[in-house]
Amino acid sequence: MNENNIETLRWSNDHLEMIDQRILPSEFSYISYSSAKSVADGIRSMVVRGAPAIGCAAAYGVALEAIKTQSFNKLDFLSGMSDACRILLESRPTAINLFWAVNRMQSIIKDSQNLAPRELAIILLEEAHNIKAEDIKINRMMGSFGAELLSDGANVLTHCNAGALATAGHGTALGVIRSAVESGKNISVIADETRPFLQGARLTAWEMVQEGIPVTLISDNMSGHLMSHGEVDAIVVGTDRVAGNGDVANKIGTYMVAVLAKRHNIPFYVACPLSTIDRSISSGADIPIEERPNSEVTGYQDMQWAAKGVLVRNPAFDVTPAELVTGLITEKGVVLSPTKEKIDLLFI
Ligand code: MRU
């Protein structure tokens, strides 16, 4: 257990263990992983999800593969590592943290090619531990900047799950809420259910209930009604990838929430570690949007409620244009009304 009593990923007996987020909240259990391919399967099948958590899992996937193949000769080891990185990179397309983390591991492999596989495996595992520890630290920093933006007594709406479960700990959007609560503010959370995978109903609601932070669950089509009745003071969401101009990709439905927020003059904040900003992409139009299986829309797990043969669309993310974003909450501070120029300054 970590500081929030939720340790999304943990290293135990030379294995990676990850909470199985597909079965929460009815069951709480860990699945153990020992290869890059199995971690890639865990990412694809949503055992682990949420951009920073996916990045951490992928980093451990690279380390696990190195440990597994450390007795190979150098050539076979390096070619296996390159296959392992490719398999991890193909596991999900939208969250940039996956690419960020695997690239970070790949540059260690490239820079340390003179080392024996056994030595490289040790360094790669250390780097995966570093990525995990840095993530918690960064979430805490975003939390303290973001907490300043929320007033005492605020009702804060969030979409999807950008909590401890979506990160190595503390969370991004929920980290802001946790930090505000820790600073003594009374904050009530409104959790969008987040169809079709129900990250809000299953994960955000569970995290908040665990900690005794008041949380009210609504279905996604209720947020406009609540906003129009003055029941939402601020919105804080996470993100999977922010383009160089400040356009924000996040869980499908976030765009609708942002448009409604603008209509009702409610601040719309995005908690965004720098590792989630992709300056190689100039606008949100270039962010790849994952399409997930039809079965997630026609039902949930074993229960299917839509007519067989119906056509289905299931884009898992949407893009909120920068003009609808009140501020990006980063570990370097809050960027109000984000633009390319302001985002570039964060990287100096
Ligand atoms: O499909 P998911 O559950 O991986 O989507 C997660 C989200 O959209 C989160 O809001 C985002 O990754 C930010 S998590 C800190």
Side-chain angles (χ1 to χ4, degrees):
M1 292 281 173
N2 73 355
E3 52 176 9
N4 299 119
N5 295 332
I6 299 168
E7 203 172 12
T8 305
L9 321 94
R10 67 184 183 198
W11 187 252
S12 171
N13 296 327
D14 286 338
H15 289 83
L16 173 68
E17 293 185 339
M18 302 199 285
I19 297 174
D20 187 351
Q21 300 196 28
R22 300 166 305 179
I23 54 174
L24 274 172
S26 37
E27 279 176 60
F28 180 93
S29 68
Y30 281 90
I31 300 182
S32 178
Y33 293 86
S34 54
S35 70
K37 186 180 172 310
S38 64
V39 172
D41 288 342
I43 294 172
R44 191 175 301 107
S45 65
M46 309 281 272
V47 169
V48 67
R49 30 66 49 202
I54 291 172
C56 290
Y60 277 110
V62 175
L64 281 168
E65 197 65 23
I67 293 166
K68 199 179 106 184
T69 59
Q70 60 188 333
S71 61
F72 287 15
N73 70 51
K74 182 79 96 39
L75 218 58
D76 289 348
F77 174 81
L78 290 175
S79 115
M81 289 308 292
S82 139
D83 287 347
C85 291
R86 183 182 39 77
I87 290 167
L88 284 161
L89 290 171
E90 286 169 358
S91 59
R92 286 191 81 188
T94 304
I96 189 66
N97 307 59
L98 169 68
F99 302 87
W100 172 88
V102 173
N103 287 342
R104 190 162 149 177
M105 301 299 275
Q106 277 175 318
S107 30
I108 291 196
I109 297 173
K110 194 163 155 257
D111 295 347
S112 316
Q113 293 212 3
N114 56 326
L115 295 182
R118 210 171 288 281
E119 292 168 307
L120 203 45
I122 294 171
I123 299 181
L124 288 169
L125 179 59
E126 267 167 23
E127 189 68 353
H129 289 326
N130 289 342
I131 289 176
K132 180 182 173 197
E134 282 168 28
D135 185 54
I136 298 175
K137 202 168 137 204
I138 286 168
N139 292 339
R140 284 250 156 225
M141 289 158 83
M142 285 189 297
S144 44
F145 285 120
E148 302 278 316
L149 301 167
L150 303 179
S151 47
D152 190 18
N155 293 313
V156 182
L157 183 138
T158 190
H159 190 76
C160 194
N161 171 267
L165 288 166
T167 63
H170 198 60
T172 63
L174 293 189
V176 167
I177 288 164
R178 284 191 167 103
S179 294
V181 170
E182 280 171 17
S183 75
K185 291 178 181 169
N186 284 313
I187 303 289
S188 299
V189 176
I190 299 167
D192 276 354
E193 170 187 49
T194 317
R195 279 280 295 144
F197 209 68
L198 303 172
Q199 289 92 333
R202 296 187 303 105
L203 309 177
T204 294
W206 179 76
E207 282 196 34
M208 295 293 92
V209 166
Q210 293 284 104
E211 264 162 73
I213 298 176
V215 57
T216 303
L217 177 64
I218 59 170
S219 63
D220 299 328
N221 47 2
M222 296 173 187
S223 60
H225 176 75
L226 264 60
M227 289 189 219
S228 72
H229 283 71
E231 292 184 47
V232 178
D233 300 306
I235 292 149
V236 186
V237 296
T239 173
D240 292 85
R241 194 185 297 218
V242 171
N245 67 345
D247 291 349
V248 170
N250 190 46
K251 180 52 55 194
I252 191 76
T254 302
Y255 172 49
M256 268 178 357
V257 172
V259 171
L260 282 162
K262 186 76 160 181
R263 170 82 174 87
H264 296 290
N265 221 2
I266 298 166
F268 177 88
Y269 295 111
V270 179
C272 165
L274 297 192
S275 56
T276 307
I277 299 178
D278 181 1
R279 289 192 302 155
S280 75
I281 281 183
S282 59
S283 89
D286 295 328
I287 298 177
I289 301 292
E290 176 182 17
E291 290 269 347
R292 291 195 55 86
N294 292 357
S295 56
E296 289 180 357
V297 176
T298 54
Y300 188 74
Q301 291 185 343
D302 293 339
M303 163 126 41
Q304 293 292 310
W305 48 70
K308 280 205 172 105
V310 67
L311 299 176
V312 172
R313 284 293 311 278
N314 188 11
F317 301 94
D318 59 26
V319 174
T320 298
E323 66 183 270
L324 299 179
V325 176
T326 309
L328 295 177
I329 304 165
T330 79
E331 65 269 39
K332 286 201 176 171
V334 179
V335 181
L336 294 173
S337 307
T339 58
K340 177 178 174 352
E341 293 66 35
K342 292 183 192 175
I343 287 174
D344 283 346
L345 285 177
L346 291 169
F347 290 87
I348 289 174

